[in-house]
């Protein structure tokens, strides 16, 4: 009987440890305004900056294959599908060491040439390497999920936030709040949800799209050209002074953001209810060195979608569930520092 209780106790301890597995990786912002993290890999623990990719992706480090060899990576073989050499290496992710496979493109003809990324997106082909799947299959995770929360989306010198792989970091969730599972848009090749088309600037309605994506690549929110034009019209009606340069990537510059109002977007939860996401003026603009502000909203053409730039992760802690291809969202706790 004692042995049975001992086994149950050991099992409970082990299961409790496993069920709370989380790999927390600090995120920074590079000169291209992309979120990235720094890892070490191979027996030599070579350092490299990688992008967390969630679109069509694979684990890729674009460098001469000799570098991967010198860093102590193990050569697996040729990957004819993506035209690359495949390797396996020990990666240092946060405080965790784990073995991952990655590709080194053979040249510019490679499908992923130029990429420096670990993939957390959908695996559509067996030849793609995927960090979540590899960590799950090796027993490092109990859930193929990752979460993003940012504390400061406008700094490149300090940690902007964290990428939490596996279990959520409860300290990032606003007290009394719970994750909401968002509806899943079918037929999309990346994480997406549906919108009820309720898109507003203050009390003024803008023309909303029906599909919503979250971006880890850019601080810019992308709206339809019609919603973008509606927004500029609202600025004019308010007397907000701005400079619009359509021939320079549709850039908009403002002298002040004091008059600007919040932008709200209605998302559709899995149960059909509405979940409203709010972007403040500080999140959809960026102050420049000349004291002007750049509007972090750009138009997109011939599409019925909206892409939220990564400043949204300052207010919301967002999870991405790979097996269910689903997004989870909750209000984020506001704090000065992150608890890894």
């Amino acid at each position: 009987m004692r042995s049975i209780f001992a086994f149950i106790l050991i099992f409970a301890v082990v299961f409790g440890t496993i069920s709370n597995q989380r790999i927390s990786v600090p995120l920074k912002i590079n000169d291209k305004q992309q979120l990235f993290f720094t890892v070490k890999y191979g027996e030599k623990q070579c350092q490299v900056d990688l992008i967390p990719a969630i679109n069509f992706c694979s684990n890729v480090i674009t460098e001469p294959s000799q570098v991967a060899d010198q860093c102590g990576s193990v050569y697996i073989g040729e990957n004819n599908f993506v035209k690359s050499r495949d390797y396996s290496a020990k990666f240092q992710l946060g405080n965790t060491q784990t073995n991952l496979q990655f590709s080194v493109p053979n040249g510019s003809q490679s499908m992923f040439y130029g990429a420096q990324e670990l993939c957390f997106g959908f695996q559509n082909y067996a030849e793609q390497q995927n960090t979540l799947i590899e960590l799950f299959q090796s027993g490092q995770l109990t859930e193929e999920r990752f979460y993003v929360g940012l504390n400061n989306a406008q700094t490149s010198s300090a940690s902007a936030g964290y990428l939490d792989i596996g279990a959520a970091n409860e300290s990032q969730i606003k007290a009394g709040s719970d994750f909401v599972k968002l509806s899943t848009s079918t037929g999309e090749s990346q994480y997406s949800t549906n919108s009820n088309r309720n898109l507003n600037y203050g009390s003024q309605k803008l023309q909303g799209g029906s599909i919503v994506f979250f971006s880890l690549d850019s601080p810019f929110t992308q709206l339809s050209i019609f919603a973008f034009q509606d927004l500029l019209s609202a600025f004019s009606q308010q007397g907000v002074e701005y400079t619009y340069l359509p021939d320079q990537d549709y850039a908009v510059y403002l002298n002040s953001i004091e008059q600007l109002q919040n932008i709200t977007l209605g998302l559709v939860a899995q149960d059909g209810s509405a979940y409203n996401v709010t972007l403040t003026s500080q999140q959809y603009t960026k102050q420049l060195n000349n004291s002007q502000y750049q509007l972090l909203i750009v138009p997109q053409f011939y599409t019925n979608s909206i892409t939220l730039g990564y400043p949204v992760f300052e207010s919301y802690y967002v999870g991405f569930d790979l097996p269910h291809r689903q997004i989870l969202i909750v209000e984020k706790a506001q704090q000065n520092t992150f608890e890894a």
Side-chain angles (χ1 to χ4, degrees), residues 3-253:
S3 62
I4 294 176
F5 281 121
F7 174 79
I8 293 174
L9 179 61
I10 293 171
F11 177 81
V13 172
V14 172
F15 180 78
T17 301
I18 293 175
S19 64
N20 291 316
Q21 284 177 325
R22 183 180 73 249
I23 301 172
S24 292
V25 182
L27 290 170
K28 295 184 179 181
I29 300 171
N30 63 22
D31 294 339
K32 296 180 180 179
Q33 300 188 73
Q34 297 171 306
L35 292 176
F36 76 97
F37 49 79
T38 300
V39 303
K40 295 180 180 179
Y41 77 100
E43 293 300 322
K44 301 290 182 65
Q45 289 290 276
C46 296
Q47 185 168 295
V48 63
D49 294 335
L50 300 176
I51 303 296
I54 59 174
N55 298 328
F56 179 67
C57 57
S58 192
N59 296 338
V60 180
I61 301 178
T62 299
E63 60 187 3
S65 57
Q66 294 89 337
V67 176
D69 294 327
Q70 292 168 2
C71 289
S73 305
V74 178
Y75 174 66
I76 297 174
E78 295 294 314
N79 187 329
N80 294 323
F81 176 72
V82 298
K83 295 182 175 61
S84 66
R85 292 167 61 88
D86 285 353
Y87 287 87
S88 176
K90 185 176 294 183
F91 279 73
Q92 183 76 38
L93 293 175
N95 294 323
T96 302
Q97 280 199 343
T98 184
N99 287 316
L100 294 175
Q101 293 186 16
F102 68 98
S103 294
V104 174
N106 286 333
S108 59
Q109 299 302 312
S110 173
M111 186 180 300
F112 296 107
Y113 179 75
Q116 296 275 95
E117 63 190 26
L118 288 187
C119 181
F120 298 87
F122 301 167
Q123 186 179 40
N124 298 318
Y125 303 95
E127 291 83 0
Q128 291 174 257
Q129 288 107 11
N130 186 289
T131 301
L132 283 177
I133 293 174
E134 291 188 39
L135 289 173
F136 180 76
Q137 290 178 345
S138 67
Q140 296 275 73
L141 302 179
T142 56
E143 292 183 302
E144 292 171 281
R145 290 180 177 179
F146 70 97
Y147 303 82
V148 178
L150 299 181
N151 197 45
N152 189 342
Q154 299 204 24
T155 179
S156 58
S157 60
S159 175
Y162 275 90
L163 176 79
D164 296 317
I165 308 169
N169 186 343
E170 298 297 327
S171 73
Q172 298 306 309
I173 299 174
K174 182 179 178 180
S177 300
D178 294 310
F179 276 108
V180 172
K181 294 182 178 180
L182 298 177
S183 60
T184 302
S185 295
T186 58
E188 297 298 328
S189 60
Q190 57 182 294
Y191 299 99
S192 61
T193 187
N194 299 302
S195 168
N196 59 12
R197 293 180 176 273
N198 186 14
L199 176 65
N200 295 278
Y201 169 73
S203 60
Q204 183 163 339
K205 187 172 180 59
L206 309 177
Q207 295 190 47
S210 60
I211 301 175
V212 179
F213 303 98
F214 287 76
S215 174
L216 300 184
D217 300 327
S218 171
F220 287 88
T221 287
Q222 300 176 35
L223 303 179
S224 74
I225 182 61
F226 306 108
F228 182 77
Q229 292 171 340
D230 289 344
L231 181 62
L232 295 186
S233 295
F235 288 170
S236 297
Q237 292 171 17
Q238 277 186 280
V240 174
E241 295 184 2
Y242 66 88
T243 301
Y244 177 38
L245 303 174
D247 57 339
Q248 295 184 24
D249 296 326
Y250 304 93
V252 176
Y253 298 99

